[in-house]
Amino acid sequence: MDEEEMAIFITRDPVAWRIWMTGYAAGLADGHKDERAGMEQLADLIARRKIILEQCQEHIVSERANTMTMAEVLRARDRTEIGSYTGGPVPWEEKDHE
């Protein structure tokens, strides 16, 4: 029996139709329960993350500053090539360091 024949059978036979609709209604109810449970879990997860962010705010700010500094260092290192120094005093060439 293919899908089309099954659809004709279900729509024409009252018992088959009732069984089909009961299963459909049960599936919808289970889906709503799953969705509700999922939303409750999501709300719990969001609340936990918010609490953690509030408790670790100082650490997060300092890590963000360190991350930005490291990003600047990496960018400067990427732009620097051997032999690309263009001026300014070089500490080891000063007379005080001899």
Side-chain angles (χ1 to χ4, degrees):
M1 196 181 255
D2 66 356
E3 289 182 21
E4 197 171 305
E5 291 172 336
M6 189 179 298
I8 292 170
F9 170 74
I10 290 171
T11 54
R12 290 192 179 158
D13 185 352
V15 175
W17 178 253
R18 268 195 304 257
I19 292 170
W20 177 266
M21 290 308 292
T22 301
Y24 181 74
L28 281 178
D30 286 345
H32 287 304
K33 270 192 244 174
D34 289 345
E35 183 180 340
R36 194 166 40 251
M39 292 304 284
E40 288 171 2
Q41 290 172 349
L42 181 62
D44 183 53
L45 178 65
I46 290 169
R48 288 173 191 244
R49 285 186 178 174
K50 185 174 185 236
I51 289 169
I52 289 170
L53 287 173
E54 288 172 357
Q55 290 177 349
C56 301
Q57 187 171 5
E58 286 181 30
H59 178 71
I60 292 168
V61 168
S62 67
E63 283 298 314
R64 185 181 305 145
N66 289 341
T67 302
M68 295 304 289
T69 302
M70 281 305 299
E72 290 173 11
V73 167
L74 291 174
R75 277 195 300 271
R77 187 181 297 160
D78 288 341
R79 288 191 305 259
T80 304
E81 296 175 9
I82 295 174
S84 64
Y85 183 71
T86 57
V90 178
W92 57 84
E93 291 181 353
E94 293 178 4
K95 292 182 182 180
D96 296 334
H97 290 88
E98 291 179 359

